[in-house]
Amino acid sequence: MEFLDELRSLKDQIRFNGRFEIPEGTKNVVIAGMGGSGIVGRIFSELYSEIPVSIVDDYRAPDFVGKETLYIAISYSGNTEETIDSVNDAKAKGAITLAITSGGKLAKLADKTVVIPKGLNPRSALGYMLAPLATSFGIAGDKEIDEAYKLLNELDENNEAEKGIAREIYSNESIPVIYGIAPYKAVAYRWKTQFSENAKVLAYSSSFPELNHNDTMSLDGTYRKGEFYFMAFTDGENPKVERRIGITENLTGIGLRRINAKGTSAFARMMWLVHEGDYITFHLAVLRGKNPANVAIIEQLKKELGKQI
Amino acid sequence: MEFLDELRSLKDQIRFNGRFEIPEGTKNVVIAGMGGSGIVGRIFSELYSEIPVSIVDDYRAPDFVGKETLYIAISYSGNTEETIDSVNDAKAKGAITLAITSGGKLAKLADKTVVIPKGLNPRSALGYMLAPLATSFGIAGDKEIDEAYKLLNELDENNEAEKGIAREIYSNESIPVIYGIAPYKAVAYRWKTQFSENAKVLAYSSSFPELNHNDTMSLDGTYRKGEFYFMAFTDGENPKVERRIGITENLTGIGLRRINAKGTSAFARMMWLVHEGDYITFHLAVLRGKNPANVAIIEQLKKELGKQI
């Protein structure tokens, strides 16, 4: 599939029916995953907190994991080394395990598996991986999904503004910095990872209000001040945080390009923000003459890691 | 107190006796805090996971918070707007609240308070804020604290190597990038914040193995490749991750300056790494002619936020 077609499939992915049952007696949830799969748990955990949700991006499961834990492992390929190790650890600790994957070892390892369609780059399958969580835990219903569908479709049909942002970054060879706000802090991190994987540009994310306790002190006098391209998410819902953004600009003398989330529901806004980042990073890749689908170094690294020593 | 004296007090701070009782029936812990106070919860949560620990760096408490939650609010000043709001939210939800603070509104608001000494910059009081958690939850005993004391003292007496790293960053006006590993991922973030607040230099952190799923793709071909200064923590305990570090260097053509944690216990290594970052950022501030204690913009921002509108 062409990379642009992958991006365009997001709107259909969020309609994927992968609903699963939450086991009775579940007292806490752990979501394990890395990179383009791991981001799904991070995004989900900002919309759902009725029981504690912990994120794992490493080889081990937390000590509390046990019979009352629903341990959800997300790996598009199903063969992510860290995630598989952590599921084995979780099983040994007595957890009920659920995999969201297109196949691989994980599909056989977990107690239950939600099988999602194959054939995409993992980072382009965010919708397939998120939809099962969103519907099963009740954070998005038909109304929110329909709203998101419409907004994503609009972006697919017209992403000239996103190309414009990519061009600004390109013209100055800037280091992108993305500042999120709740509940889209993980989306800011998603953009950072998309800048890396799609456009091959190192980027960084942080979030308001936390960054006002540290980055604020360096924005004015840092090395290479003019070489960063600062962006800040807004959604019109959080006047306290929006005042922070304005004051931060005034006190530090940097410009913060606002990314105003479209939509009325948090889920739709979140999907729109994800897709906005998809297009900015896609266009930057094209401008740079880089193939956005290419992740050869990551593949090579996995191969080297797999070698006997 | 002179800033350097503040740094030198860390070894004594970790001996602070602030032990508190964990209420019977506690099923989960939330630690709320921002910036130099918030980092303490993040650091703690990598050493303790017998029950779920959630981190809050915003105005609201998670939905699951209730009678079985021990809600720990850490704010050195006791007047952090976000933390106070979140404690009010936690109290409304029925949580037992505990404050670790030198005073302020928080001392009166929480059900119980561990009062720590006043007079430092919040980011220089990490030991006072961490010690009550470390001893009360049993992650550090006399032996680990004594080991850490000795290592911190050695750094206080000789930090020429740290000055050398600062000089390398200074000579090229580099953007520092700190790559952590478990259980020191939050320490990598601590360094980033110390670069901002002490040296007024924007810096970034991420961690192995997660960064192998994204940053890896941009390290080779990114904008301004030569302008970053990459550092990676190691502790000699994790051969899988250390192989990753070497392979990442080979495949991307960047140099990763190793920061080899000293010490035998995880707690002592963690404290050593924290202090190593303290000194590198302190020396960078001095080289740049910046006052490491100065956080005037953050103070100004708080003042502006406090104004009626």
Side-chain angles (χ1 to χ4, degrees):
Chain A
M1 203 191 276
E2 289 290 318
F3 197 76
L4 199 53
D5 292 328
E6 290 193 2
L7 294 191
R8 285 188 179 131
S9 73
L10 181 63
K11 59 182 179 292
D12 295 308
Q13 292 179 34
I14 59 172
R15 289 183 162 164
F16 176 72
N17 182 3
R19 192 190 287 248
F20 55 85
E21 292 294 313
I22 316 292
E24 250 184 83
T26 297
K27 293 278 172 66
N28 53 68
V29 172
V30 175
I31 309 182
M34 308 299 300
S37 302
I39 188 68
V40 173
R42 295 173 198 255
I43 285 177
F44 168 75
S45 71
E46 283 190 79
L47 287 186
Y48 178 86
S49 66
E50 284 180 37
I51 55 176
V53 178
S54 301
I55 301 299
V56 167
D57 62 358
D58 221 308
Y59 293 92
R60 285 192 61 242
D63 295 334
F64 67 80
V65 167
K67 283 181 299 183
E68 297 178 335
T69 303
L70 175 59
Y71 200 93
I72 303 175
I74 308 183
S75 164
Y76 186 67
S77 70
N79 293 319
T80 307
E81 169 183 291
E82 301 93 314
T83 309
I84 288 170
D85 277 18
S86 89
V87 169
N88 279 321
D89 191 13
K91 287 182 76 147
K93 286 170 170 158
I96 298 171
T97 57
L98 174 89
I100 300 176
T101 181
S102 70
K105 290 176 198 160
L106 201 56
K108 287 159 205 151
L109 185 63
D111 297 321
K112 291 206 171 169
T113 299
V114 175
V115 180
I116 57 177
K118 278 187 203 299
L120 300 170
N121 277 286
R123 64 190 180 283
S124 299
L126 182 143
Y128 284 136
M129 297 186 274
L130 182 60
L133 293 176
T135 53
S136 304
F137 285 93
I139 59 168
D142 289 347
K143 200 182 135 196
E144 289 80 15
I145 292 171
D146 286 349
E147 189 197 11
Y149 184 98
K150 224 177 114 185
L151 290 171
L152 297 180
N153 192 48
E154 283 172 16
L155 264 175
D156 290 337
E157 290 182 353
N158 184 347
N159 41 71
E160 281 302 308
E162 292 66 32
K163 196 189 279 183
I165 293 174
R167 220 178 269 124
E168 286 176 34
I169 295 168
Y170 178 71
S171 66
N172 192 35
E173 303 199 342
S174 300
I175 301 157
V177 178
I178 312 105
Y179 288 151
I181 57 170
Y184 325 105
K185 294 178 182 178
V187 178
Y189 178 69
R190 158 79 175 187
W191 282 40
K192 166 202 154 63
T193 65
Q194 292 286 73
F195 274 110
S196 269
E197 290 191 84
N198 294 346
K200 283 73 180 168
V201 165
L202 208 48
Y204 291 95
S205 66
S206 187
S207 61
F208 285 99
E210 167 66 12
L211 74 94
N212 277 149
H213 298 264
N214 35 71
D215 275 17
T216 305
M217 275 319 300
S218 50
L219 294 176
D220 180 31
T222 188
Y223 291 138
R224 309 191 178 280
K225 181 176 179 176
E227 301 177 8
F228 294 95
Y229 186 92
F230 295 98
M231 293 165 273
F233 295 171
T234 63
D235 69 354
E237 293 290 317
N238 203 328
K240 263 189 186 170
V241 169
E242 306 214 355
R243 272 190 75 205
R244 281 182 178 274
I245 297 175
I247 296 172
T248 302
E249 277 184 317
N250 290 341
L251 293 179
T252 63
I254 64 158
L256 278 163
R257 168 88 186 211
R258 303 295 196 287
I259 308 289
N260 303 306
K262 286 190 183 164
T264 56
S265 66
F267 179 78
R269 284 181 184 141
M270 192 172 260
M271 289 300 99
W272 184 87
L273 282 170
V274 164
H275 218 36
E276 175 83 355
D278 290 345
Y279 276 111
I280 292 171
T281 57
F282 168 79
H283 286 300
L284 183 58
V286 174
L287 287 166
R288 299 192 75 204
K290 306 277 184 189
N291 174 2
N294 170 25
V295 287
I297 298 177
I298 292 176
E299 294 309 320
Q300 184 64 25
L301 185 132
K302 286 179 188 168
K303 222 158 127 184
E304 299 270 333
L305 281 169
K307 276 185 199 158
Q308 293 298 327
I309 41 171
Chain B
M1 207 192 276
E2 288 291 317
F3 197 76
L4 199 53
D5 292 328
E6 291 193 2
L7 294 191
R8 287 189 178 132
S9 72
L10 181 61
K11 59 182 179 294
D12 295 308
Q13 292 178 34
I14 60 172
R15 290 186 162 164
F16 176 72
N17 182 4
R19 193 188 286 250
F20 55 85
E21 292 294 313
I22 316 293
E24 250 184 84
T26 297
K27 293 278 173 63
N28 53 68
V29 172
V30 176
I31 309 183
M34 308 300 301
S37 303
I39 189 65
V40 173
R42 295 174 198 255
I43 285 178
F44 168 74
S45 71
E46 283 190 79
L47 287 186
Y48 178 86
S49 67
E50 284 178 38
I51 56 176
V53 178
S54 302
I55 301 298
V56 167
D57 62 357
D58 220 308
Y59 293 91
R60 284 193 60 244
D63 294 335
F64 66 80
V65 167
K67 281 181 298 183
E68 297 179 336
T69 304
L70 174 60
Y71 200 92
I72 303 174
I74 308 182
S75 164
Y76 187 68
S77 70
N79 292 320
T80 308
E81 169 184 289
E82 301 94 314
T83 309
I84 287 171
D85 277 18
S86 89
V87 169
N88 280 321
D89 192 12
K91 287 182 77 148
K93 286 170 171 158
I96 298 171
T97 56
L98 173 90
I100 300 175
T101 181
S102 70
K105 290 178 198 160
L106 201 56
K108 285 161 206 149
L109 186 62
D111 297 321
K112 290 206 173 173
T113 299
V114 176
V115 179
I116 57 178
K118 279 188 203 298
L120 300 171
N121 276 286
R123 65 190 179 284
S124 299
L126 182 142
Y128 285 135
M129 297 186 274
L130 183 60
L133 294 175
T135 52
S136 305
F137 285 93
I139 60 169
D142 289 346
K143 199 181 133 194
E144 291 79 14
I145 292 172
D146 286 348
E147 189 196 9
Y149 184 98
K150 224 177 113 184
L151 291 169
L152 297 181
N153 191 47
E154 283 172 16
L155 264 175
D156 289 339
E157 290 183 354
N158 184 347
N159 41 71
E160 281 303 308
E162 293 65 31
K163 196 188 277 183
I165 293 176
R167 221 177 267 124
E168 285 177 36
I169 295 168
Y170 178 71
S171 66
N172 192 35
E173 302 200 342
S174 300
I175 302 158
V177 178
I178 311 104
Y179 287 151
I181 57 170
Y184 324 105
K185 295 179 181 179
V187 178
Y189 178 69
R190 159 77 175 189
W191 282 39
K192 166 201 153 62
T193 64
Q194 291 287 72
F195 274 111
S196 271
E197 290 189 85
N198 294 346
K200 283 72 179 170
V201 165
L202 209 48
Y204 291 95
S205 66
S206 188
S207 62
F208 285 99
E210 166 67 11
L211 73 94
N212 277 150
H213 298 264
N214 36 71
D215 275 17
T216 305
M217 278 316 302
S218 50
L219 294 176
D220 181 30
T222 188
Y223 292 138
R224 310 190 179 281
K225 181 174 177 176
E227 301 177 7
F228 294 96
Y229 187 92
F230 295 98
M231 293 165 273
F233 294 171
T234 64
D235 69 355
E237 293 290 317
N238 204 328
K240 264 190 185 170
V241 169
E242 306 214 354
R243 272 192 76 206
R244 282 182 178 274
I245 297 175
I247 296 172
T248 302
E249 277 185 318
N250 290 340
L251 292 178
T252 63
I254 63 158
L256 278 163
R257 167 87 187 211
R258 304 295 195 287
I259 307 289
N260 303 308
K262 288 191 182 162
T264 56
S265 67
F267 179 78
R269 284 180 183 143
M270 192 173 259
M271 288 301 97
W272 184 87
L273 282 169
V274 164
H275 218 37
E276 176 83 355
D278 290 346
Y279 276 111
I280 293 171
T281 57
F282 168 78
H283 285 300
L284 184 58
V286 174
L287 286 166
R288 298 192 75 205
K290 305 278 184 188
N291 174 1
N294 170 24
V295 288
I297 298 177
I298 293 176
E299 294 309 321
Q300 185 63 23
L301 185 130
K302 286 179 187 166
K303 222 158 130 184
E304 299 271 332
L305 281 168
K307 277 185 197 158
Q308 293 298 327
I309 41 171

